[in-house]
mmCIF file of all heavy atoms in Angstrom:
data_model
loop_
_atom_site.group_PDB
_atom_site.id
_atom_site.type_symbol
_atom_site.label_atom_id
_atom_site.label_comp_id
_atom_site.label_asym_id
_atom_site.label_seq_id
_atom_site.Cartn_x
_atom_site.Cartn_y
_atom_site.Cartn_z
ATOM 1 N N THR A 120 -4.789 -1.150 -2.028
ATOM 2 C CA THR A 120 -5.446 0.076 -1.560
ATOM 3 C C THR A 120 -5.063 0.362 -0.106
ATOM 4 O O THR A 120 -4.837 1.512 0.265
ATOM 5 C CB THR A 120 -6.984 -0.110 -1.645
ATOM 6 O OG1 THR A 120 -7.260 -0.543 -2.959
ATOM 7 C CG2 THR A 120 -7.726 1.167 -1.359
ATOM 8 N N GLU A 121 -4.990 -0.697 0.739
ATOM 9 C CA GLU A 121 -4.677 -0.480 2.168
ATOM 10 C C GLU A 121 -3.328 0.199 2.344
ATOM 11 O O GLU A 121 -3.154 1.008 3.261
ATOM 12 C CB GLU A 121 -4.632 -1.801 2.952
ATOM 13 C CG GLU A 121 -5.851 -2.659 2.852
ATOM 14 C CD GLU A 121 -5.703 -3.675 1.735
ATOM 15 O OE1 GLU A 121 -5.663 -3.267 0.554
ATOM 16 O OE2 GLU A 121 -5.623 -4.863 2.032
ATOM 17 N N PHE A 122 -2.355 -0.160 1.495
ATOM 18 C CA PHE A 122 -1.033 0.464 1.627
ATOM 19 C C PHE A 122 -1.141 1.958 1.315
ATOM 20 O O PHE A 122 -0.629 2.805 2.057
ATOM 21 C CB PHE A 122 -0.017 -0.215 0.700
ATOM 22 C CG PHE A 122 1.306 0.500 0.686
ATOM 23 C CD1 PHE A 122 2.137 0.462 1.798
ATOM 24 C CD2 PHE A 122 1.705 1.237 -0.421
ATOM 25 C CE1 PHE A 122 3.352 1.156 1.805
ATOM 26 C CE2 PHE A 122 2.910 1.930 -0.420
ATOM 27 C CZ PHE A 122 3.723 1.888 0.690
ATOM 28 N N ARG A 123 -1.841 2.261 0.220
ATOM 29 C CA ARG A 123 -1.982 3.680 -0.137
ATOM 30 C C ARG A 123 -2.717 4.439 0.964
ATOM 31 O O ARG A 123 -2.356 5.574 1.306
ATOM 32 C CB ARG A 123 -2.752 3.820 -1.458
ATOM 33 C CG ARG A 123 -1.984 3.283 -2.663
ATOM 34 C CD ARG A 123 -2.655 3.746 -3.947
ATOM 35 N NE ARG A 123 -1.911 3.374 -5.124
ATOM 36 C CZ ARG A 123 -2.261 2.387 -5.947
ATOM 37 N NH1 ARG A 123 -3.333 1.654 -5.690
ATOM 38 N NH2 ARG A 123 -1.529 2.127 -7.012
ATOM 39 N N GLU A 124 -3.727 3.805 1.563
ATOM 40 C CA GLU A 124 -4.479 4.473 2.638
ATOM 41 C C GLU A 124 -3.585 4.728 3.859
ATOM 42 O O GLU A 124 -3.689 5.769 4.508
ATOM 43 C CB GLU A 124 -5.693 3.639 3.043
ATOM 44 C CG GLU A 124 -6.808 3.765 2.026
ATOM 45 C CD GLU A 124 -7.972 2.810 2.298
ATOM 46 O OE1 GLU A 124 -7.901 2.006 3.257
ATOM 47 O OE2 GLU A 124 -8.943 2.869 1.538
ATOM 48 N N SER A 125 -2.715 3.752 4.165
ATOM 49 C CA SER A 125 -1.793 3.935 5.292
ATOM 50 C C SER A 125 -0.850 5.109 5.046
ATOM 51 O O SER A 125 -0.565 5.894 5.950
ATOM 52 C CB SER A 125 -0.948 2.677 5.499
ATOM 53 O OG SER A 125 -1.585 1.811 6.367
ATOM 54 N N VAL A 126 -0.363 5.202 3.810
ATOM 55 C CA VAL A 126 0.562 6.302 3.483
ATOM 56 C C VAL A 126 -0.157 7.646 3.619
ATOM 57 O O VAL A 126 0.356 8.595 4.221
ATOM 58 C CB VAL A 126 1.138 6.118 2.059
ATOM 59 C CG1 VAL A 126 1.905 7.352 1.613
ATOM 60 C CG2 VAL A 126 2.043 4.885 2.020
ATOM 61 N N ARG A 127 -1.360 7.713 3.096
ATOM 62 C CA ARG A 127 -2.169 8.943 3.229
ATOM 63 C C ARG A 127 -2.336 9.323 4.698
ATOM 64 O O ARG A 127 -2.188 10.475 5.091
ATOM 65 C CB ARG A 127 -3.569 8.734 2.653
ATOM 66 C CG ARG A 127 -3.705 9.144 1.249
ATOM 67 C CD ARG A 127 -4.146 10.621 1.132
ATOM 68 N NE ARG A 127 -4.177 11.007 -0.246
ATOM 69 C CZ ARG A 127 -3.603 12.088 -0.744
ATOM 70 N NH1 ARG A 127 -2.932 12.925 0.019
ATOM 71 N NH2 ARG A 127 -3.699 12.370 -2.014
ATOM 72 N N TYR A 128 -2.640 8.302 5.491
ATOM 73 C CA TYR A 128 -2.872 8.538 6.912
ATOM 74 C C TYR A 128 -1.600 9.057 7.588
ATOM 75 O O TYR A 128 -1.635 10.033 8.347
ATOM 76 C CB TYR A 128 -3.358 7.244 7.573
ATOM 77 C CG TYR A 128 -3.728 7.433 9.017
ATOM 78 C CD1 TYR A 128 -4.917 8.065 9.363
ATOM 79 C CD2 TYR A 128 -2.893 7.012 10.038
ATOM 80 C CE1 TYR A 128 -5.260 8.269 10.697
ATOM 81 C CE2 TYR A 128 -3.223 7.207 11.368
ATOM 82 C CZ TYR A 128 -4.404 7.821 11.696
ATOM 83 O OH TYR A 128 -4.736 8.031 13.014
ATOM 84 N N LEU A 129 -0.477 8.396 7.315
ATOM 85 C CA LEU A 129 0.802 8.846 7.900
ATOM 86 C C LEU A 129 1.054 10.316 7.580
ATOM 87 O O LEU A 129 1.446 11.096 8.448
ATOM 88 C CB LEU A 129 1.973 8.048 7.301
ATOM 89 C CG LEU A 129 2.194 6.619 7.744
ATOM 90 C CD1 LEU A 129 3.408 6.045 7.019
ATOM 91 C CD2 LEU A 129 2.420 6.563 9.250
ATOM 92 N N LEU A 130 0.835 10.674 6.321
ATOM 93 C CA LEU A 130 1.123 12.056 5.913
ATOM 94 C C LEU A 130 0.194 13.045 6.608
ATOM 95 O O LEU A 130 0.613 14.139 6.998
ATOM 96 C CB LEU A 130 1.034 12.189 4.384
ATOM 97 C CG LEU A 130 2.118 11.398 3.635
ATOM 98 C CD1 LEU A 130 1.821 11.331 2.145
ATOM 99 C CD2 LEU A 130 3.499 12.021 3.873
ATOM 100 N N ASN A 131 -1.058 12.649 6.806
ATOM 101 C CA ASN A 131 -1.981 13.537 7.535
ATOM 102 C C ASN A 131 -1.547 13.733 8.981
ATOM 103 O O ASN A 131 -1.765 14.785 9.564
ATOM 104 C CB ASN A 131 -3.405 12.971 7.534
ATOM 105 C CG ASN A 131 -4.064 13.136 6.187
ATOM 106 O OD1 ASN A 131 -3.616 13.928 5.369
ATOM 107 N ND2 ASN A 131 -5.112 12.379 5.940
ATOM 108 N N GLU A 132 -0.945 12.708 9.573
ATOM 109 C CA GLU A 132 -0.540 12.785 10.983
ATOM 110 C C GLU A 132 0.828 13.447 11.156
ATOM 111 O O GLU A 132 1.109 14.018 12.209
ATOM 112 C CB GLU A 132 -0.473 11.370 11.594
ATOM 113 C CG GLU A 132 -1.791 10.606 11.552
ATOM 114 C CD GLU A 132 -2.877 11.258 12.393
ATOM 115 O OE1 GLU A 132 -2.754 11.251 13.608
ATOM 116 O OE2 GLU A 132 -3.833 11.799 11.808
ATOM 117 N N ASN A 133 1.702 13.309 10.159
ATOM 118 C CA ASN A 133 3.094 13.775 10.297
ATOM 119 C C ASN A 133 3.345 15.172 9.730
ATOM 120 O O ASN A 133 4.319 15.819 10.095
ATOM 121 C CB ASN A 133 4.056 12.816 9.593
ATOM 122 C CG ASN A 133 4.329 11.558 10.390
ATOM 123 O OD1 ASN A 133 3.544 11.191 11.254
ATOM 124 N ND2 ASN A 133 5.426 10.889 10.095
ATOM 125 N N ILE A 134 2.498 15.608 8.796
ATOM 126 C CA ILE A 134 2.685 16.938 8.193
ATOM 127 C C ILE A 134 1.555 17.810 8.718
ATOM 128 O O ILE A 134 0.382 17.610 8.349
ATOM 129 C CB ILE A 134 2.624 16.881 6.639
ATOM 130 C CG1 ILE A 134 3.504 15.754 6.072
ATOM 131 C CG2 ILE A 134 2.963 18.243 6.028
ATOM 132 C CD1 ILE A 134 4.980 15.936 6.231
ATOM 133 N N LEU A 135 1.909 18.744 9.608
ATOM 134 C CA LEU A 135 0.863 19.424 10.371
ATOM 135 C C LEU A 135 0.873 20.931 10.156
ATOM 136 O O LEU A 135 1.927 21.531 9.890
ATOM 137 C CB LEU A 135 1.048 19.127 11.862
ATOM 138 C CG LEU A 135 0.977 17.643 12.242
ATOM 139 C CD1 LEU A 135 1.252 17.465 13.734
ATOM 140 C CD2 LEU A 135 -0.387 17.040 11.892
ATOM 141 N N CYS A 136 -0.313 21.502 10.324
ATOM 142 C CA CYS A 136 -0.440 22.954 10.228
ATOM 143 C C CYS A 136 -0.247 23.546 11.623
ATOM 144 O O CYS A 136 -0.923 23.132 12.568
ATOM 145 C CB CYS A 136 -1.812 23.316 9.674
ATOM 146 S SG CYS A 136 -1.907 25.052 9.254
ATOM 147 N N GLY A 137 0.681 24.488 11.750
ATOM 148 C CA GLY A 137 0.902 25.112 13.051
ATOM 149 C C GLY A 137 2.065 26.079 12.979
ATOM 150 O O GLY A 137 2.637 26.313 11.913
ATOM 151 N N ASP A 138 2.380 26.604 14.150
ATOM 152 C CA ASP A 138 3.440 27.607 14.259
ATOM 153 C C ASP A 138 4.677 26.941 14.857
ATOM 154 O O ASP A 138 4.654 26.485 16.011
ATOM 155 C CB ASP A 138 2.929 28.748 15.152
ATOM 156 C CG ASP A 138 3.878 29.923 15.188
ATOM 157 O OD1 ASP A 138 5.103 29.694 15.101
ATOM 158 O OD2 ASP A 138 3.408 31.055 15.324
ATOM 159 N N ALA A 139 5.746 26.894 14.064
ATOM 160 C CA ALA A 139 6.955 26.204 14.521
ATOM 161 C C ALA A 139 7.747 27.040 15.522
ATOM 162 O O ALA A 139 8.740 26.562 16.070
ATOM 163 C CB ALA A 139 7.828 25.841 13.320
ATOM 164 N N LEU A 140 7.328 28.281 15.764
ATOM 165 C CA LEU A 140 8.016 29.099 16.775
ATOM 166 C C LEU A 140 7.366 28.917 18.141
ATOM 167 O O LEU A 140 8.034 28.727 19.145
ATOM 168 C CB LEU A 140 7.984 30.578 16.368
ATOM 169 C CG LEU A 140 8.715 30.896 15.056
ATOM 170 C CD1 LEU A 140 8.548 32.374 14.690
ATOM 171 C CD2 LEU A 140 10.189 30.543 15.171
ATOM 172 N N THR A 141 6.024 28.930 18.159
ATOM 173 C CA THR A 141 5.330 28.741 19.447
ATOM 174 C C THR A 141 5.051 27.254 19.704
ATOM 175 O O THR A 141 4.608 26.884 20.789
ATOM 176 C CB THR A 141 3.994 29.490 19.451
ATOM 177 O OG1 THR A 141 3.185 28.952 18.392
ATOM 178 C CG2 THR A 141 4.173 30.985 19.242
ATOM 179 N N LEU A 142 5.264 26.408 18.687
ATOM 180 C CA LEU A 142 5.024 24.958 18.772
ATOM 181 C C LEU A 142 3.558 24.633 19.042
ATOM 182 O O LEU A 142 3.247 23.640 19.714
ATOM 183 C CB LEU A 142 5.947 24.308 19.825
ATOM 184 C CG LEU A 142 7.433 24.670 19.755
ATOM 185 C CD1 LEU A 142 8.226 23.955 20.847
ATOM 186 C CD2 LEU A 142 8.018 24.326 18.389
ATOM 187 N N THR A 143 2.685 25.490 18.538
ATOM 188 C CA THR A 143 1.249 25.264 18.726
ATOM 189 C C THR A 143 0.532 25.223 17.375
ATOM 190 O O THR A 143 1.008 25.771 16.379
ATOM 191 C CB THR A 143 0.603 26.383 19.581
ATOM 192 O OG1 THR A 143 0.877 27.646 18.960
ATOM 193 C CG2 THR A 143 1.122 26.402 21.005
ATOM 194 N N THR A 144 -0.643 24.586 17.397
ATOM 195 C CA THR A 144 -1.482 24.565 16.200
ATOM 196 C C THR A 144 -2.180 25.931 16.079
ATOM 197 O O THR A 144 -2.104 26.755 16.994
ATOM 198 C CB THR A 144 -2.573 23.479 16.297
ATOM 199 O OG1 THR A 144 -3.410 23.816 17.421
ATOM 200 C CG2 THR A 144 -1.983 22.105 16.524
ATOM 201 N N ASN A 145 -2.882 26.099 14.968
ATOM 202 C CA ASN A 145 -3.500 27.409 14.756
ATOM 203 C C ASN A 145 -4.607 27.701 15.759
ATOM 204 O O ASN A 145 -4.993 28.850 15.927
ATOM 205 C CB ASN A 145 -4.002 27.532 13.315
ATOM 206 C CG ASN A 145 -2.814 27.593 12.353
ATOM 207 O OD1 ASN A 145 -1.660 27.685 12.792
ATOM 208 N ND2 ASN A 145 -3.081 27.540 11.070
ATOM 209 N N ASN A 146 -5.131 26.665 16.463
ATOM 210 C CA ASN A 146 -6.097 26.994 17.529
ATOM 211 C C ASN A 146 -5.471 26.961 18.932
ATOM 212 O O ASN A 146 -6.178 26.874 19.928
ATOM 213 C CB ASN A 146 -7.380 26.158 17.433
ATOM 214 C CG ASN A 146 -7.078 24.703 17.194
ATOM 215 O OD1 ASN A 146 -5.995 24.238 17.567
ATOM 216 N ND2 ASN A 146 -7.999 23.970 16.588
#
Side-chain angles (χ1 to χ4, degrees):
T120 308
E121 305 93 293
F122 173 70
R123 293 193 175 105
E124 284 173 358
S125 270
V126 170
R127 266 269 176 230
Y128 185 75
L129 285 180
L130 294 168
N131 286 343
E132 300 296 291
N133 282 22
I134 312 292
L135 300 177
C136 191
D138 187 327
L140 297 176
T141 61
L142 312 180
T143 56
T144 62
N145 291 352
N146 46 26

